[in-house]
Amino acid sequence: MLKSSDLLWMYEKMLLLRETEEKAVELSFKGEIGTLLSGSGQEAIPVGICKNLLPEDHYAPSHRGISTVLAKGGDPKYLFAELFGKPAGYCKGKGGEMHIADFKDGMIGMNGIVGAAIPIATGSAFAQKKKNLNTVTVCAFGDGASNQGVFHEALNMASIWKLPIVYVCENNQYAMTTPVSYALSVENISDRAKSYSIPGVTVDGNDVLAVYEAVHEAVERARKGEGPTLIECKTYRKYGHHAGAGNDEQMGWGYRPKTEEAYWKSRDPILLFEDYLMAKAVLTESKIKLVREKVKKEIEEAVEFARKAENPKPEDALEDLFA
Ligand SMILES: Cc1ncc(C[n+]2csc(CCOP(=O)(O)OP(=O)(O)O)c2C)c(N)n1
């Protein structure tokens, strides 16, 4: 049972993630950072996931949503430093927006190759089981990634070995410009769980509490040694495939019906949660204002930290390389 303090933690985290995504889009338009794949609009998923995780649990987010690092306990200062390509960043500025890892917080890494995090996360769960750690790994990926071969191989292996892993599909309805309705052989991505004899569930990915509850059950199952679960979260990305400079509109890609965009805009996960918390008297108008201001300030300070951080040295360019 979640307490008011838990609900407020989730609300503030969602705002922190949103503010980060929106700030990154703004910086990209200004040319201060490069183009990015934004997870704005999908915040309920990483927050619903991470509320269930301990610091020592592992989380492998998808390539979309730089801000997911913050849900697992990351610091916006080092995140923005990474986006600015500065040595103070999580990966010394060499990972950039799609390859952030923060092992200290159990963030085992984003991945620019669609689906590639799925076997990596499965390996993490295998190690956790072999070492009897009683920890779990959560792996998030898109609908497109669930059509990759590694998805099927990994789920099969995780099932036969009863690995402590939760697969979370962030079904935002499109893989670049391909609608999921075209690319999927089954009605729901969670239907695929049947083939691997594991539980599969579809939830409203814009409802942070629905995500939290589904992941809660799956994490408990994993900790008890009962193996993996596949959770599909139906959601929508606020922007096109690319956000900021070089976005889909600038590329001339128009593929999402305006009525569809308007429908999902009306189901913004933060506003839905705000309405719920107001109805439960956990939030008030004045508290909302305070939290929003606090989060904005934290992000402004993080951006300032990143701007002022030392630039990389040319002689360090070849460090950290291996082949
Ligand atoms: C193996 C591979 N193929 C193609 C790409 C190009 N690509 C980058 S993101 C993307 C779409 C991925 O869609 P999905 O898995 O649904 O995630 P979403 O971006 O919608 O969150 C593609 C095809 C890639 N990065 N890696």
Side-chain angles (χ1 to χ4, degrees):
M1 178 75 179
L2 290 169
K3 298 194 289 281
S4 295
S5 55
D6 296 313
L7 297 172
L8 285 172
W9 180 92
M10 290 162 96
Y11 174 65
E12 188 169 329
K13 270 292 181 220
M14 282 170 77
L15 282 181
L16 189 72
L17 269 60
R18 173 65 58 88
E19 190 60 29
T20 300
E21 296 283 340
E22 294 300 319
K23 181 55 77 179
V25 172
E26 183 190 318
L27 293 169
S28 172
F29 273 125
K30 287 184 183 161
E32 287 193 71
I33 65 168
T35 188
L36 59 134
L37 306 185
S38 171
S40 192
Q42 300 186 191
E43 298 83 358
I45 304 171
V47 173
I49 290 173
C50 291
K51 185 68 193 147
N52 285 293
L53 300 185
L54 302 169
E56 56 273 27
D57 289 327
H58 287 173
Y59 178 33
S62 84
H63 54 270
R64 182 175 300 286
I66 40 178
S67 63
T68 48
V69 179
L70 306 179
K72 187 72 173 68
D75 186 325
K77 288 203 295 291
Y78 309 124
L79 173 63
F80 277 101
E82 187 62 34
L83 299 183
F84 273 78
K86 301 284 182 80
Y90 273 118
C91 305
K92 302 189 192 174
K94 294 176 178 179
E97 61 110 1
M98 239 184 280
H99 303 98
I100 300 175
D102 168 22
F103 289 167
K104 170 180 64 56
D105 289 319
M107 247 284 312
I108 61 172
M110 299 168 73
N111 199 308
I113 300 172
V114 172
I118 303 174
I120 294 171
T122 306
S124 153
F126 178 65
Q128 289 170 322
K129 183 167 175 140
K130 278 296 246 190
K131 293 180 181 169
N132 283 320
L133 293 178
N134 198 32
T135 52
V136 301
T137 300
V138 176
C139 177
F141 48 88
D143 40 284
S146 80
N147 290 331
Q148 290 280 38
V150 285
F151 168 88
H152 300 275
E153 293 179 42
L155 263 71
N156 185 56
M157 197 173 264
S159 172
I160 60 168
W161 286 345
K162 291 207 178 324
L163 299 185
I165 185 160
V166 184
Y167 297 102
V168 180
C169 180
E170 300 175 313
N171 179 358
N172 61 16
Q173 326 282 332
Y174 292 88
M176 286 189 96
T177 55
T178 306
V180 69
S181 55
Y182 169 82
L184 201 66
S185 60
V186 283
E187 197 183 333
N188 294 303
I189 287 164
S190 64
D191 294 343
R192 291 180 160 164
K194 277 197 203 89
S195 311
Y196 306 107
S197 309
I198 64 172
V201 53
T202 295
V203 297
D204 177 354
N206 282 15
D207 176 349
V208 68
L209 295 179
V211 177
Y212 168 79
E213 276 159 24
V215 176
H216 190 73
E217 205 173 301
V219 164
E220 286 212 330
R221 195 180 125 76
R223 286 201 208 284
K224 279 192 275 178
E226 291 173 8
T229 302
L230 172 63
I231 299 171
E232 174 189 17
C233 301
K234 297 231 196 233
T235 187
Y236 205 68
R237 46 176 157 76
K238 181 172 158 189
Y239 297 103
H241 179 65
H242 294 108
N247 65 29
D248 290 14
E249 288 74 23
Q250 290 167 336
M251 306 281 275
W253 299 353
Y255 53 92
R256 300 202 305 190
K258 293 283 168 233
T259 46
E260 185 184 277
E261 287 185 343
Y263 167 74
W264 284 96
K265 197 173 169 196
S266 73
R267 301 200 66 258
D268 182 299
I270 294 180
L271 300 182
L272 286 183
F273 197 39
E274 234 168 51
D275 285 349
Y276 172 85
L277 295 176
M278 297 264 276
K280 291 267 170 211
V282 175
L283 266 186
T284 56
E285 292 284 358
S286 57
K287 176 85 181 160
I288 290 176
K289 199 164 167 271
L290 278 178
V291 182
R292 283 186 179 269
E293 277 166 11
K294 180 182 162 209
V295 164
K296 250 189 176 359
K297 188 160 173 277
E298 188 176 354
I299 297 302
E300 285 303 337
E301 285 170 2
V303 172
E304 261 328 281
F305 169 87
R307 276 198 188 110
K308 287 186 182 144
E310 202 187 323
N311 280 317
K313 295 189 184 70
E315 60 269 29
D316 292 340
L318 298 181
E319 258 186 30
D320 311 307
L321 292 182
F322 63 92

